[in-house]
Amino acid sequence: MKTVNYIKIEIPSKSTNEGLARSIAACFAAQLDPTLEEIGDIKTAVSEAVTNSIVHAYPDEIGKISIRGRIFDDNTLEIVVQDWGRGIKDIEQAMEPMFTTGGDDRSGMGFTIMESFMDKLKVKSAEGKGTTVTMRRRLSFRTGTKR
Amino acid sequence: MKITTEFRRGRLTVWLHGELDHHAAKEVIGTICDEIDECLPSSCILDFKGVGFMDSSGIAVILKTYKRMRELNGSLLILNASKQVMRVLEMSGIGKFIGMEEINA
Ligand SMILES: Nc1ncnc2c1ncn2[C@@H]1O[C@H](COP(=O)(O)OP(=O)(O)O)[C@@H](O)[C@H]1O
Ligand SMILES: [Mg+2]
């Protein structure tokens, strides 16, 4: 697969940036001529990943979040969200539906949503070092779509 | 996020406008809980007509509202959820115990 376009941005872990991050991802994905539903799914998945870095990776400090996007020549969008925060002790447990360390402010559905709204989800994490979430979604080819 | 509320004949209606994410959630749940505590409604309606986007933070807001209403033996109804909001709600299984309706008035 060849990369046909990419984007890299860095944001501080402030909650005002949640909306910004998902809007940028949606704008970047727009060149693949996605459907409204596809755009909704991408925005939701990105919002979940970025919110996790803001809430869980840096609970009492403002840290750095890197968001990278790539578009491949088979109409696949890849989004990588990386932080250098607390990390996850047990990834398998963290990815279970309804599992949360955030109390009743959180629903524990973030990873479940990322997993089902995207085609692929990979989570890499080390305690005290940080977390990298990689998501891919292949978008539908629509008639008349040009890249 | 803009929040408007109305209390009439035991029913608290909350209209949400904007994007319901983690950034907005704190204020939204605070406002809803304050209104419930003040009005002690027998039913609560969350109208999502003005909500263009919601993520899993919104699920937590709805669940908290539901728990608060249950403590009062009251009911909760979600109105006018968009397709995107419905997709997120479906993941949570909330629809099994909270009423949802679309009213195009
Ligand atoms: N970037 C991260 N850094 C540290 N911990 C994380 C991160 N992302 C997720 N987690 C852990 O995984 C759990 C589950 O995440 P998620 O499914 O999004 O649910 P929620 O955010 O509602 O807790 C979180 O409660 C947290 O303990
Ligand atoms: Mg989450």
Side-chain angles (χ1 to χ4, degrees), chain B residues 38-90:
Chain B
E38 200 185 301
C39 308
L40 302 173
S42 55
S43 70
C44 177
I45 292 178
L46 297 183
D47 194 322
F48 274 74
K49 195 165 198 162
V51 178
F53 175 86
M54 186 187 92
D55 65 17
S56 72
S57 308
I59 297 174
V61 167
I62 293 170
L63 280 176
K64 255 194 183 174
T65 308
Y66 176 71
K67 277 186 199 151
R68 200 65 200 85
M69 286 308 296
R70 263 222 341 216
E71 285 163 11
L72 300 174
N73 284 316
S75 62
L76 175 63
L77 185 66
I78 311 278
L79 282 194
N80 299 316
S82 72
K83 263 193 180 163
Q84 188 272 333
V85 171
M86 275 314 282
R87 245 172 98 66
V88 171
L89 285 178
E90 272 160 17

Side-chain angles (χ1 to χ4, degrees), chain A residues 48-49 51-52 55-56 106-111 114, chain B residues 56:
Chain A
E48 295 299 344
T51 300
N52 277 354
V55 175
H56 304 298
R106 310 294 319 150
S107 63
M109 294 303 293
F111 279 132
M114 289 181 245
Chain B
S56 72

Side-chain angles (χ1 to χ4, degrees), chain A residues 48-49 51-58 83 85-91 93-103 105-114 123 125 130-133, chain B residues 56:
Chain A
E48 295 299 344
T51 300
N52 277 354
S53 294
I54 291 171
V55 175
H56 304 298
Y58 304 113
D83 65 62
R86 285 196 171 182
I88 303 170
K89 200 181 198 164
D90 184 342
I91 296 178
Q93 181 186 45
M95 292 179 73
E96 272 167 27
M98 321 255 287
F99 176 85
T100 182
T101 54
D105 284 336
R106 310 294 319 150
S107 63
M109 294 303 293
F111 279 132
T112 308
I113 286 173
M114 289 181 245
V123 182
S125 191
T131 302
T132 305
V133 172
Chain B
S56 72

Side-chain angles (χ1 to χ4, degrees), chain A residues 2 17 26 35 39 52 63 76 81 89 111 114 121 128 133-134 137 139 147:
Chain A
K2 234 180 75 191
N17 284 331
T35 63
I39 279 287
N52 277 354
T76 298
V81 177
K89 200 181 198 164
F111 279 132
M114 289 181 245
L121 172 68
V133 172
T134 305
R137 169 92 183 242
L139 302 183
R147 265 196 322 271

Side-chain angles (χ1 to χ4, degrees), chain A residues 7-76:
Chain A
I7 182 174
K8 291 181 186 180
I9 64 164
E10 192 183 294
I11 52 170
S13 60
K14 297 183 174 183
S15 64
T16 37
N17 284 331
E18 290 158 8
L20 179 70
R22 61 179 176 263
S23 298
I24 290 173
C27 285
F28 181 65
Q31 60 202 280
L32 290 170
D33 192 26
T35 63
L36 263 180
E37 186 173 320
E38 285 169 338
I39 279 287
D41 287 359
I42 290 160
K43 279 177 89 170
T44 314
V46 170
S47 195
E48 295 299 344
V50 171
T51 300
N52 277 354
S53 294
I54 291 171
V55 175
H56 304 298
Y58 304 113
D60 337 286
E61 62 186 308
I62 299 295
K64 184 171 88 177
I65 302 172
S66 161
I67 302 165
R68 303 184 294 276
R70 279 199 288 178
I71 285 170
F72 299 110
D73 56 2
D74 68 343
N75 237 36
T76 298

